[in-house]
């Protein structure tokens, strides 16, 4: 009698689904400190998702992690370009997705992990929800024309041609306004009609920061930025790239530039920067509550918020 055939080998266990942890929140909410705490506890890098921290030489005005903070844990996706070489959303998405994949492939026990931290909502959405903007390369000639027209006129043009995109872009956001017009003129189709979504192959855990004292945090941080060299940094950027550099029109740099040009004194610039930042933070809050569903972290200190965040991460990893 023939011996029975050996039982087939069991199929290999499926690979664990990677987990991408996202720490989001409005400006000055404490993301940098908490992200460093999470990265140290989990032995991860902090992957930056702040659209202005992508640029070299823009350190003080963007509240970029200091050299001492960067020495505590590895930071990635900082200082990718010079300020006169803007990176668009699709370019950032491609670079960041590759960096996330590299983090997920690092040898570690258990599930592959990566940590994103930042407050740039559209950039976060591109990564966590698979938003795929059109791959239109920069159009330098168009951008020069847009800059000559001025931001108010450009935003009016966008409202007339693509009201959906205009509704998503702040009236003072010259970088995103010009990009939307650039896509429209280059393709003949509105940006809003070309943005599809392909969810990434990861599980995403979003953790949010929105402290009740945010307005006071913004005030204190603005004072610290000016004390920490914002005017000097703005002067260096103006000398190297010219006063019409689009990124010098953004919050903090725009007001500092007015001080350098004699249109404001420093006290007035601090007050104006504070107000503009508080208004921006309000828009960020609205975006995060409409476009994302984070677990909002509570607690009066970074230590308590870190404890809550780690507890939630461990729950998801079980």
């Amino acid at each position: 009698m023939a011996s029975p055939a050996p039982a087939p080998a069991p199929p290999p266990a499926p690979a664990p689904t990677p987990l991408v942890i996202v720490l989001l929140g409005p400006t000055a909410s404490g993301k940098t400190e908490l992200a460093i705490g999470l990265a140290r506890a989990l032995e991860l890098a902090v992957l930056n998702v702040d659209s202005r921290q992508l640029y070299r030489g823009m350190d003080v005005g963007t509240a970029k992690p200091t050299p001492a903070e960067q020495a505590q844990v590895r930071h990635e996706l900082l200082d990718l370009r010079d300020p006169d070489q803007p990176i668009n959303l699709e370019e950032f998405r491609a670079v960041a997705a590759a960096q996330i994949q590299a983090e997920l492939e690092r040898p570690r026990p258990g599930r592959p992990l990566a940590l994103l931290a930042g407050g740039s909502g559209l950039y976060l959405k591109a990564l966590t929800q698979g938003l795929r903007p059109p791959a239109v390369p920069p159009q330098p000639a168009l951008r020069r024309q847009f800059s000559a027209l001025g931001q108010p006129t450009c935003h009016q043009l966008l409202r007339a041609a693509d009201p959906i995109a205009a509704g998503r872009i702040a009236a003072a956001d010259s970088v995103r306004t010009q990009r939307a017009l650039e896509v429209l003129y280059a393709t003949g189709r509105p940006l809003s009609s070309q943005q599809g979504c392909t969810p990434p192959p990861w599980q995403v855990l979003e953790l949010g920061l929105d402290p009740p004292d945010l307005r006071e945090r913004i005030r204190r941080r603005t004072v610290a930025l000016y004390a920490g060299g914002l005017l000097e940094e703005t002067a260096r950027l103006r000398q190297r790239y010219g006063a019409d550099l689009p990124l010098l029109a953004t919050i903090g740099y725009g007001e500092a530039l007015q001080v350098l040009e004699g249109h404001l004194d420093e006290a007035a610039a601090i007050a104006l920067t504070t107000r503009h930042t508080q208004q921006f933070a309000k828009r960020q809050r609205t975006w995060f509550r409409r476009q994302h569903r984070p677990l909002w972290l509570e607690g009066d200190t970074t230590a308590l918020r870190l404890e809550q965040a780690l507890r939630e991460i461990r729950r998801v990893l079980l």
Side-chain angles (χ1 to χ4, degrees):
M1 183 175 179
S3 301
T17 302
L19 176 64
V20 174
I21 303 158
V22 179
L23 180 61
L24 56 80
T27 187
S29 58
K31 296 185 296 296
T32 296
E33 185 179 5
L34 183 55
I36 290 172
L38 285 171
R40 294 181 68 176
L42 299 170
E43 299 183 3
L44 297 173
V46 178
L47 307 186
N48 165 61
V49 193
D50 182 302
S51 62
R52 295 196 307 168
Q53 292 181 4
L54 304 177
Y55 297 101
R56 288 183 282 268
M58 299 183 68
D59 303 327
V60 178
T62 67
K64 189 179 294 179
T66 64
E69 289 171 329
Q70 292 187 46
Q72 295 183 51
V73 296
R74 187 164 46 88
H75 286 71
E76 303 288 355
L77 302 177
L78 295 171
D79 301 329
L80 300 182
R81 298 262 182 97
D82 288 331
D84 62 343
Q85 299 294 321
I87 182 169
N88 64 43
L89 179 58
E90 173 58 18
E91 291 171 324
F92 174 77
R93 188 207 61 77
V95 171
Q99 185 65 59
I100 292 169
Q101 191 58 41
E103 291 300 311
L104 295 174
E105 291 175 358
R106 287 181 179 274
R108 59 174 298 117
R111 291 174 66 179
L113 296 178
L115 171 64
L116 308 181
S120 296
L122 194 62
Y123 284 53
L124 282 167
K125 186 174 181 179
L127 295 173
T128 63
Q129 300 178 33
L131 177 66
R132 298 298 298 266
V136 174
Q139 310 288 312
L142 274 176
R143 290 185 180 183
R144 286 193 293 270
Q145 293 178 53
F146 296 147
S147 296
L149 287 172
Q151 175 59 14
T153 299
C154 286
H155 204 265
Q156 288 176 3
L157 289 172
L158 185 61
R159 281 201 304 269
D162 188 356
I164 295 175
R168 297 170 179 166
I169 298 173
D173 190 338
S174 62
V175 174
R176 290 178 60 203
T177 298
Q178 289 189 15
R179 177 58 183 168
L181 287 171
E182 186 176 58
V183 170
L184 174 66
Y185 280 75
T187 67
R189 295 169 54 211
L191 174 66
S192 59
S193 71
Q194 300 185 54
Q195 293 178 322
C197 285
T198 304
W202 325 306
Q203 181 180 359
V204 175
L205 171 62
E206 294 184 329
L207 303 171
L209 285 176
D210 191 4
D213 61 342
L214 185 64
R215 291 179 63 84
E216 175 59 20
R217 283 171 171 262
I218 290 171
R219 188 197 67 78
R220 292 198 304 266
R221 194 181 74 174
T222 303
V223 171
L225 295 182
Y226 278 83
L230 176 59
L231 291 174
E232 293 80 0
E233 181 172 274
T234 303
R236 288 194 298 271
L237 291 168
R238 180 182 64 171
Q239 181 177 11
R240 181 169 182 181
Y241 301 106
D244 58 348
L245 179 74
L247 284 166
L248 281 182
T250 59
I251 297 173
Y253 294 106
E255 296 83 5
L257 190 61
Q258 291 186 63
V259 175
L260 296 174
E261 294 177 346
H263 304 308
L264 289 175
D265 61 32
E266 186 170 332
I270 290 173
L272 192 58
T273 302
T274 300
R275 185 165 76 249
H276 287 164
T277 306
Q278 289 169 344
Q279 292 167 345
F280 175 60
K282 183 177 180 180
R283 294 193 296 271
Q284 288 178 297
R285 279 172 156 165
T286 300
W287 171 278
F288 290 133
R289 293 187 183 278
R290 290 180 178 176
Q291 302 288 337
H292 300 264
R293 294 185 178 180
L295 169 71
W296 294 103
L297 300 173
E298 300 174 351
D300 298 331
T301 66
T302 298
L304 289 173
R305 291 189 285 269
L306 176 60
E307 181 181 344
Q308 183 187 3
L310 290 172
R311 187 166 58 245
E312 182 64 17
I313 292 166
R314 293 186 184 111
R315 183 191 67 78
V316 173
L317 289 174
L318 290 178

